[in-house]
Amino acid sequence: SSVLSSQEISSVQTSTQLFNGMTVKARSAAREVIATYSVDDIFIELIIQLPSNYPLGSITVESGKRVGVAVQQWRNW
């Protein structure tokens, strides 16, 4: 499973696909993919973490930093 995690992370790191207003980074040591989306002065971060027993375990998705977004608006989204 660590081989699968490494392959998934490295595929994100070597990807040349570009997104409008979004940057995607991968951290292989933490088995994480971090996507940061920005529009004007608003920055939203999404963290996807692969478990140590991937693909058997569930992937964890968390919201990271929220700059320029009110808590109530974030909850509504």
Side-chain angles (χ1 to χ4, degrees):
S1 63
S2 63
V3 173
L4 289 174
S5 294
S6 298
Q7 288 175 347
E8 293 294 328
I9 298 295
S10 66
S11 71
V12 171
Q13 289 174 332
T14 59
S15 176
T16 58
Q17 186 173 1
L18 299 175
F19 301 99
N20 189 21
M22 181 183 293
T23 59
V24 179
K25 299 177 187 175
R27 296 192 293 187
S28 58
R31 295 184 310 274
E32 289 181 342
V33 175
I34 301 169
T36 305
Y37 183 69
S38 62
V39 177
D40 298 329
D41 293 335
I42 299 173
F43 296 95
I44 299 172
E45 186 176 81
L46 183 69
I47 303 169
I48 301 168
Q49 186 173 28
L50 300 176
S52 59
N53 64 345
Y54 176 80
L56 301 175
S58 298
I59 294 173
T60 304
V61 179
E62 297 178 4
S63 61
K65 300 174 189 173
R66 301 180 311 265
V67 177
V69 180
V71 174
Q72 186 60 40
Q73 184 179 8
W74 180 257
R75 288 182 184 157
N76 290 339
W77 288 349

